Amino acid sequence: MPYSDQPTVIASGVEIPLLGFGTWMLEPEEARRMVHEALRIGYRHIDTAWIYKNEKAVGDGIGDAVAEGIVARDEIFVTTKIWVEHFHRDALLRQAEESAISLGLTPDLLLLHWPKPTPSLKETIDALNEAQDKGFTRHIGLSNFPSPQFREAAALSKAPLITNQVEYHPYLSQKTLIETARELGSSITAWSPLAQGKIADDAVIGEIAKVHGKSNGQVTLRWLIQQGVIAIPRTTKVERARESFDIFDFELSADEMARIHALARPEGRLGDWLDAAFHWDQDS
Ligand SMILES: NC(=O)c1ccc[n+]([C@@H]2O[C@H](COP(=O)([O-])OP(=O)(O)OC[C@H]3O[C@@H](n4cnc5c(N)ncnc54)[C@H](OP(=O)(O)O)[C@@H]3O)[C@@H](O)[C@H]2O)c1
């Protein structure tokens, strides 16, 4: 297995590194630099999206690392996403090809960025499968799909949907969706895993961090990957990227895990752009 030196999760037979590097809001120049640095540090999973307008820069950052011999292409797991304006068949295939060209590689994973009621889920899922058949991506998946739409998409898809990337951090429960993913043989990827930095001031996480000689960010990421959830933190700072990668040498106890789970609260959601036709799972 290409990522054998770090923890991974297997979803429908596909191995995915549990820790990735997020690139939302990174301007192209910064995205290129940080992706290169992240790969130098040891990250083997990079997350981008068409709407982030940095796919080419992300690809260039990967290219820089490959050219330096830091990593080989097949040792990296690269995810990108189909934007919601491209959910009709032809537009989806056009964007899938464009994303692969911009990245300069075939992504490992192509996600539908947010669910929407039109066009039909069948048309979009068929097109996503077609994009995979045409070689524009190795695997396919979803993002921001509540359980009912997650199940519907999985039933419609010929190929397995290997992840559902959703907001998940200590202030938001995703118990139901994690269970749904498990039942479907899929996985959950946590976006905003650090609650966009809010965990830095948390007293409970701080107490646990002190016990382990770690930072609040490290404890939070450990809490996620210890659940078998993929985490994709983002930073513009190399030192923080290094810190977030240093989470494989300690373990949280069952009691510590439970104390962090107990921080979830109804108003904990940070990014709610779900179409009004759909509803989040009851606990999230
Ligand atoms: N699928 C979707 O709809 C979706 C939505 C949102 C995000 N995502 C993906 O998920 C990734 C991560 O989510 P995110 O970028 O929203 O949030 P995040 O990773 O939870 O937080 C990033 C923010 O936290 C700060 N930060 C980083 N490390 C920290 C630490 N150790 N302590 C305190 N603050 C820290 C960063 O600031 P500095 O730069 O100053 O370090 C940045 O402002 C994105 O980059 C993107 O790839 C996907």
Side-chain angles (χ1 to χ4, degrees), residues 211-281:
V211 171
H212 293 277
K214 292 284 181 182
S215 70
N216 284 25
Q218 289 170 320
V219 164
T220 302
L221 295 171
R222 180 75 210 179
W223 173 76
L224 288 164
I225 68 161
Q226 224 171 284
Q227 297 172 58
V229 166
I230 300 152
I232 48 171
R234 175 220 359 158
T235 181
T236 50
K237 302 179 176 70
V238 176
E239 202 37 61
R240 271 193 176 158
R242 201 171 285 126
E243 179 188 313
S244 290
F245 191 74
D246 185 18
I247 58 168
F248 305 128
D249 62 350
F250 74 112
E251 203 167 322
L252 299 172
S253 68
D255 177 59
E256 289 167 336
M257 292 290 288
R259 286 180 70 200
I260 301 173
H261 276 293
L263 297 173
R265 52 202 190 207
E267 69 283 13
R269 187 180 294 282
L270 298 169
D272 197 351
W273 303 287
L274 189 66
D275 190 286
F278 308 124
H279 303 284
W280 296 116
D281 286 272

Side-chain angles (χ1 to χ4, degrees), residues 8-86:
T8 57
V9 67
I10 309 264
S12 295
V14 181
E15 187 176 24
I16 310 172
L18 277 169
L19 186 64
F21 187 80
T23 65
W24 180 41
M25 312 266 270
L26 297 189
E27 295 293 330
E29 208 172 300
E30 200 156 53
R32 179 175 187 160
R33 179 179 66 90
M34 286 308 299
V35 165
H36 186 182
E37 290 295 342
L39 293 169
R40 199 198 304 279
I41 289 165
Y43 288 83
R44 292 295 177 261
H45 179 169
I46 306 290
D47 182 80
T48 182
W50 182 90
I51 199 65
Y52 301 169
K53 298 184 168 62
N54 61 17
E55 284 173 315
K56 182 176 181 315
V58 165
D60 287 342
I62 293 170
D64 294 342
V66 170
E68 275 182 22
I70 291 168
V71 72
R73 160 66 189 103
D74 283 342
E75 293 168 344
I76 315 169
F77 191 93
V78 183
T79 300
T80 193
K81 312 180 191 94
I82 297 284
W83 186 237
V84 294
E85 284 161 15
H86 309 149

